[in-house]
C-alpha cells in the first residue's frame, strides 16, 4: 500500500481518537482577563484542577506565589477543548503553554486549627501565623444533604439582637436573608450575631465562618480586630476574597466557606456562616461567565445565576441524628439599589431562603438601630426557633409594632385621636424604643426576656419616651445586682414559670419605687 495513504489514515485516526497523552494534557490557545482556552484535556471534568507547565512547587497552597506551581480551575467543557479560570497570577500565563490535568477536584483545608485564622479562597493563611499542620481537605463543590437526611429546625440561634430574637427568630439550620441598601447596618447585624455566640455554652456554641466577598481589605481587617477585641475570634474563621482578588476567587469564596463549615457540621457541630455579600459574588460570576463566553441571560446575568445561589444556600441544613445531628445556619447578605427588592438578584435569593430581614433607610434615618422593618420581615421557622420564655413575652409584639408603624404617620395629629388609638401609639412607640440597640452590644436572651416582660406589663407606660432606653438599661443593672438567680433560671430552663413571673413582678415594682425619676 502507498505509504502516503497509510500516513493519511494514521493522521485521521489520531484526529478522531486522541492519544492518552492528549487526554491528560493540552495547550493554551488564548489567554485574557484571568481565563484561558485550552486545546486538549478531553478527559477533564468540571471543577477539576489543572496545572500550568511553569514552576516547580508541590502544593496547591503555593499557587498564588511566584515561585510555586500555578493552577487553574476547569469551568467550561467544550467540543474542541476546555476553558479554565487562573487561580493566581495571570501574568505568568501565556499562549502556547502546556497544561496538565491533575485528576483532583478543587478542595480547601478545614479543621480545628483554622479556628481564629484568616484564610483566602484557597484556604491559604493570610494572617502571618504560619501554615496549617494537618488539615482535612474538603471539596469546594458538594451536593447538599437530601430531605431524608434533614430534620426539623427547632433549636434557636440567638443573635443577641432583641428585634430579631423576639420578632423574626432564627433557628439552627435555617437560611435567613439580610437585605437592604448600602450603609444600613447589614454587616453589623451579622457581626453582632457572631459576637453573641460567646454567651452560649461552649459545648453547644456554633463555629462561625465569616466570608468577605469583594469587600475592602480595610473593612475586613476592622471586623477581624473587633472580633478579637470581643473574644469571638476563638470560634470564628474568616474567609477573605477582597475586591482586589480575581473574579474567580470572589466567585468561589462562599463555596470555600461552606466547605470549611461542612467539616464541623459533619462531626455533629453547629455552624453559623455569613456570606457578605452575595451581590458581589453575582457580579464576579457574571464577569467570569461572560469571559468564559457563556450566553448571558436575563438582565445580562448568566441564566444559571439562580443555580449558583441555590446550590450554595441549600448546603445549609440541620442534619438528622443518623447523620450526626450537626447544622449549618446561613445568613446571606444582599445589597439592594434604592430599596428595589424586586430586582433580579434579590428576588432570586428571597425565593431560596427561609425568611428575610429587611433593613430600610427610613427607619435608619430616624435613628432606629437595627433599622429592621418588622412589618415586612419574616422568618418561616417562626416560633419553632424560640424558647418558651421568649415566645410568651413576644407573642403579640410583632402585630402591635406593625399596627404602630401604620398609625405613626398620624402622630402629628395626636390631639384629634381617640383615646384607644392614642394609647396604642404611646405603647407602640415605647416598645419600639425597647427594641433599639447599640452596635456591637448583643444582649443575652434572658435579659431580652426580662426587658420585654417589663414592657408588655406596662412598666414603662408612664416613662417619657426619651428615657425608655435609659430605664431599660437601669432595669437590667438592677436585675443583675439583685435577681441574678432569676435571670440564670430563665436562661437554664428557657421558660417563665409562675414563680418567675411573681419574682419579675416584684422586681419591677421595686425598680419603679427605687427610680421614681424615670416615671412621670
Amino acid at each position: 500500500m502507498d505509504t502516503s495513504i497509510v500516513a493519511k489514515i494514521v493522521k485521521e485516526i489520531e484526529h478522531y481518537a486522541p492519544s492518552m497523552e492528549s487526554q491528560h494534557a493540552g495547550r493554551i490557545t488564548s489567554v485574557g482577563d484571568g481565563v484561558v482556552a485550552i486545546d486538549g484535556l478531553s478527559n477533564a471534568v468540571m471543577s477539576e484542577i489543572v496545572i500550568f507547565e511553569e514552576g516547580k512547587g508541590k502544593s496547591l497552597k503555593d499557587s498564588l506565589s511566584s515561585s510555586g506551581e500555578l493552577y487553574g480551575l476547569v469551568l467550561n467543557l467544550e467540543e474542541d477543548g476546555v476553558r479554565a479560570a487562573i487561580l493566581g497570577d495571570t501574568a505568568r500565563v501565556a499562549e502556547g503553554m502546556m497544561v496538565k490535568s491533575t485528576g483532583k477536584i478543587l478542595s480547601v483545608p478545614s479543621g480545628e486549627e483554622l479556628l481564629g485564622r484568616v484564610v483566602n479562597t484557597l484556604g491559604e493563611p493570610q494572617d502571618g501565623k504560619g501554615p496549617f499542620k494537618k488539615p482535612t481537605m474538603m471539596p469546594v463543590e458538594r451536593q447538599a444533604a437530601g430531605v431524608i437526611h434533614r430534620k426539623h429546625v427547632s433549636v434557636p440561634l440567638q443573635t443577641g439582637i432583641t428585634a430579631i430574637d423576639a420578632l423574626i427568630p432564627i433557628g439552627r439550620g435555617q437560611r435567613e436573608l439580610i437585605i437592604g441598601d448600602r450603609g444600613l447596618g447589614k454587616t453589623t447585624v451579622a457581626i453582632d450575631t457572631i459576637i453573641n455566640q460567646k454567651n452560649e455554652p461552649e459545648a453547644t456554641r456554633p463555629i462561625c465562618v465569616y466570608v468577605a466577598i469583594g469587600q475592602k481589605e480595610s473593612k475586613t481587617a476592622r471586623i477581624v480586630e473587633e472580633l478579637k477585641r470581643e473574644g469571638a475570634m476563638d470560634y470564628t474563621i474568616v474567609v477573605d476574597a477582597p475586591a482586589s482578588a480575581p473574579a474567580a476567587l470572589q466567585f468561589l469564596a462562599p463555596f470555600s466557606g461552606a466547605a470549611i463549615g461542612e467539616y464541623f457540621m459533619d462531626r455533629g457541630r453547629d455552624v453559623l456562616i455569613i456570606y457578605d455579600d452575595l451581590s458581589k459574588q453575582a457580579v464576579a460570576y457574571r464577569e467570569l461567565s461572560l469571559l468564559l463566553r457563556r450566553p448571558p441571560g436575563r438582565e445580562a446575568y448568566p441564566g444559571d445565576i439562580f443555580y449558583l445561589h441555590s446550590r450554595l444556600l441549600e448546603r445549609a441544613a440541620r442534619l438528622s441524628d443518623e447523620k450526626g445531628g450537626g447544622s449549618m445556619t446561613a445568613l446571606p447578605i444582599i445589597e439592594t439599589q434604592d430599596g428595589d427588592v424586586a430586582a433580579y438578584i434579590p428576588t432570586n435569593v428571597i425565593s431560596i431562603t427561609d425568611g428575610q430581614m429587611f433593613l430600610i433607610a427610613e427607619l435608619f434615618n430616624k435613628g432606629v438601630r437595627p433599622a429592621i422593618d418588622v412589618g415586612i420581615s419574616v422568618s418561616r421557622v417562626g416560633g419553632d426557633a424560640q424558647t418558651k420564655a421568649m415566645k410568651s413575652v413576644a407573642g403579640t409584639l410583632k402585630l402591635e409594632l406593625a399596627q404602630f408603624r401604620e398609625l405613626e404617620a398620624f402622630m402629628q395629629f395626636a390631639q384629634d385621636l381617640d383615646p384607644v388609638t392614642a394609647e396604642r401609639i404611646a405603647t407602640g412607640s415605647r416598645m419600639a424604643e425597647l427594641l433599639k440597640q447599640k452596635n456591637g452590644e448583643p444582649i443575652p436572651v434572658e435579659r431580652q426576656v426580662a426587658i420585654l416582660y417589663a414592657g408588655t406589663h406596662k412598666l414603662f407606660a408612664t416613662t417619657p419616651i426619651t428615657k425608655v432606653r435609659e430605664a431599660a438599661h437601669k432595669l437590667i443593672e438592677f436585675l443583675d445586682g439583685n435577681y441574678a438567680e432569676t435571670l440564670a433560671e430563665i436562661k437554664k430552663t428557657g421558660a417563665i414559670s409562675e414563680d418567675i413571673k411573681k419574682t419579675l413582678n416584684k422586681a419591677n415594682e421595686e425598680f419603679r419605687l427605687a427610680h421614681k425619676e424615670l416615671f412621670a
Side-chain angles (χ1 to χ4, degrees):
M1 184 182 289
D2 189 347
T3 55
S4 62
I5 296 176
V6 172
K8 189 174 181 180
I9 292 172
V10 170
K11 190 175 181 180
E12 288 290 323
I13 291 172
E14 288 178 347
H15 178 75
Y16 289 106
S19 66
M20 285 299 293
E21 181 64 27
S22 67
Q23 291 176 7
H24 298 286
R27 189 176 296 276
I28 296 176
T29 57
S30 68
V31 56
D33 297 308
V35 171
V36 293
I38 304 169
D39 184 26
L41 294 180
S42 56
N43 272 5
V45 298
M46 280 293 287
S47 297
E48 182 180 356
I49 293 294
V50 294
I51 184 171
F52 300 100
E53 67 169 6
E54 58 97 66
K56 299 297 181 182
K58 293 185 178 180
S59 78
L60 181 59
K61 293 182 180 180
D62 297 327
S63 65
L64 292 184
S65 66
S66 58
S67 60
E69 291 179 340
L70 187 63
Y71 290 86
L73 179 68
V74 175
L75 291 174
N76 262 27
L77 302 177
E78 300 173 356
E79 188 176 353
D80 55 349
V82 303
R83 289 183 187 272
I86 303 168
L87 301 178
D89 185 4
T90 57
R92 295 164 58 190
V93 180
E95 287 186 23
M97 186 179 288
M98 291 295 295
V99 183
K100 292 184 179 180
S101 62
T102 62
K104 297 178 181 178
I105 301 298
L106 180 62
S107 301
V108 292
S110 186
E112 298 288 339
E113 58 181 319
L114 267 73
L115 294 175
R117 303 295 299 271
V118 180
V119 300
N120 64 10
T121 300
L122 301 179
E124 297 178 317
Q126 300 293 292
D127 49 13
K129 295 181 180 179
F132 304 121
K133 295 177 182 177
K134 292 183 179 180
T136 300
M137 300 304 290
M138 299 292 294
V140 168
E141 291 273 7
R142 192 173 88 164
Q143 190 170 354
V147 174
I148 202 72
H149 299 308
R150 301 178 182 229
K151 66 178 178 181
H152 182 62
V153 174
S154 58
V155 180
L157 183 127
Q158 306 293 353
T159 66
I161 301 170
T162 309
I164 297 173
D165 292 340
L167 305 173
I168 37 179
I170 300 171
R172 299 192 182 193
Q174 189 176 345
R175 302 157 299 179
E176 182 79 10
L177 173 63
I178 305 172
I179 185 169
D181 290 356
R182 176 175 297 185
L184 297 186
K186 300 184 296 299
T187 300
T188 301
V189 169
I191 297 305
D192 283 359
T193 302
I194 292 176
I195 293 172
N196 186 62
Q197 302 315 308
K198 68 183 179 183
N199 295 319
E200 295 291 317
E202 189 171 347
T204 59
R205 179 183 298 154
I207 299 298
C208 299
V209 181
Y210 176 75
V211 185
I213 311 154
Q215 306 290 337
K216 294 179 181 177
E217 293 190 69
S218 58
K219 176 185 174 182
T220 305
R222 194 165 57 247
I223 287 171
V224 171
E225 285 305 311
E226 182 181 358
L227 293 174
K228 286 180 180 177
R229 189 171 62 250
E230 298 291 342
M233 273 304 284
D234 295 340
Y235 52 85
T236 302
I237 302 165
V238 176
V239 180
D240 186 23
S244 58
L249 297 182
Q250 292 186 46
F251 142 66
L252 288 169
F255 294 96
S256 296
I260 290 171
E262 282 171 339
Y263 168 87
F264 299 97
M265 180 175 69
D266 291 347
R267 285 156 180 78
R269 305 279 292 276
D270 292 319
V271 178
L272 168 66
I273 185 164
I274 314 290
Y275 301 116
D276 188 11
D277 66 68
L278 294 188
S279 302
K280 292 184 174 64
Q281 188 210 16
V283 170
Y285 183 68
R286 171 182 62 177
E287 177 185 334
L288 192 61
S289 292
L290 295 178
L291 289 170
L292 290 166
R293 299 190 180 180
R294 295 176 180 172
R298 177 179 169 189
E299 294 182 9
Y301 278 87
D304 53 352
I305 191 78
F306 180 90
Y307 179 52
L308 169 75
H309 286 152
S310 64
R311 76 177 190 268
L312 170 67
L313 294 172
E314 283 295 330
R315 290 164 76 169
R318 186 180 179 207
L319 298 180
S320 63
D321 294 334
E322 292 77 14
K323 287 288 183 178
S327 73
M328 185 156 70
T329 309
L331 296 183
I333 296 175
I334 287 289
E335 184 180 296
T336 55
Q337 305 294 327
D338 196 25
D340 183 14
V341 296
Y344 183 47
I345 299 303
T347 52
N348 265 351
V349 184
I350 285 172
S351 66
I352 296 166
T353 49
D354 307 311
Q356 306 84 39
M357 287 181 271
F358 289 99
L359 280 73
I360 61 175
E362 182 183 353
L363 290 176
F364 187 86
N365 294 334
K366 289 180 180 177
V368 178
R369 303 288 188 279
I372 296 173
D373 188 334
V374 297
I376 59 175
S377 299
V378 65
S379 170
R380 296 187 184 120
V381 175
D384 288 355
Q386 279 180 316
T387 62
K388 291 180 180 179
M390 181 60 80
K391 202 182 298 187
S392 66
V393 297
T396 60
L397 185 57
K398 186 168 186 178
L399 179 61
E400 289 175 4
L401 280 172
Q403 291 174 340
F404 163 66
R405 294 295 179 201
E406 290 181 7
L407 294 169
E408 196 175 17
F410 300 101
M411 289 180 68
Q412 56 185 314
F413 309 114
Q415 67 274 14
D416 301 326
L417 296 176
D418 62 89
V420 175
T421 304
E423 183 184 353
R424 184 173 291 173
I425 289 175
T427 302
S429 58
R430 285 169 173 79
M431 293 306 296
E433 285 294 314
L434 287 179
L435 295 180
K436 289 182 181 179
Q437 209 167 315
K438 286 185 179 180
N439 294 343
E441 295 184 7
I443 303 173
V445 65
E446 65 274 14
R447 295 184 179 185
Q448 294 179 18
V449 169
I451 291 172
L452 293 175
Y453 183 87
T456 53
H457 285 74
K458 310 297 182 184
L459 174 63
F460 307 111
T462 59
T463 303
I465 293 176
T466 54
K467 291 187 176 182
V468 168
R469 293 178 68 189
E470 179 189 350
H473 181 70
K474 288 187 175 180
L475 173 62
I476 287 302
E477 289 182 343
F478 176 80
L479 292 174
D480 275 341
N482 300 280
Y483 291 91
E485 291 181 2
T486 303
L487 293 179
E489 186 69 16
I490 294 173
K491 181 176 182 178
K492 181 181 177 181
T493 63
I496 300 182
S497 64
E498 289 301 320
D499 288 341
I500 290 178
K501 286 182 181 179
K502 290 177 183 177
T503 305
L504 288 177
N505 289 335
K506 177 187 173 187
N508 290 342
E509 190 57 35
E510 289 178 7
F511 176 77
R512 190 199 304 272
L513 294 173
H515 295 83
K516 292 181 179 178
E517 74 280 2
L518 296 173
F519 304 96

